Amino acid sequence: MKLIFAIVSNDDSAKVSSALTKAKFSVTKLATTGGFLLSGNTTFIIGTDDEKVQEVIEIIGKHSKKRTQMIPSSASYGVGMYASYPVEVTVGGATIFVINVEQFEKL
């Protein structure tokens, strides 16, 4: 038995959730916030059998895509002088953790 934590962008959350549910996986969703861009994420918690882990990862990968986004940034040019300019960063995709589960009960 495995426990999967999958962190995906809110932009992809509905598609990932729908696809996992359609494939008969029980999913718990948590609203989370990313540390780098302070943007909204969804963390999925999925308990599944060892042999179905790869299927879960493939579903998440298919429905959570990386993309680029422009964010404001600033640079300091001496004492008290700042200039703002946009920087392109990659967002989206998924971060997935798979953990062994010693015991699983569904009551």
Side-chain angles (χ1 to χ4, degrees):
M1 177 65 64
K2 301 289 186 189
L3 182 64
I4 302 170
F5 291 96
I7 304 164
V8 302
S9 169
N10 279 347
D11 295 339
D12 299 323
S13 174
K15 290 184 254 176
V16 171
S17 180
S18 178
L20 288 169
T21 302
K22 190 174 186 176
K24 305 284 190 237
F25 290 103
S26 296
V27 179
T28 299
K29 289 173 41 173
L30 301 173
T32 53
T33 303
F36 176 60
L37 297 175
L38 299 177
S39 60
N41 294 320
T42 300
T43 299
F44 292 96
I45 303 172
I46 306 138
T48 191
D49 296 321
D50 291 15
E51 62 272 3
K52 293 188 176 186
V53 169
Q54 194 57 41
E55 181 182 355
V56 170
I57 292 171
E58 287 171 6
I59 290 169
I60 294 167
K62 181 178 178 183
H63 297 284
S64 56
K65 301 298 178 194
K66 288 186 178 183
R67 51 197 160 276
T68 58
Q69 176 179 327
M70 300 300 282
I71 63 164
S73 181
S74 61
S76 174
Y77 295 107
V79 179
M81 296 180 62
Y82 292 92
S84 181
Y85 59 94
V87 175
E88 188 174 55
V89 296
T90 301
V91 297
T95 302
I96 301 171
F97 301 91
V98 180
I99 300 168
N100 289 320
V101 174
E102 195 171 308
Q103 184 175 344
F104 175 77
E105 300 286 335
K106 194 166 185 176
L107 305 174

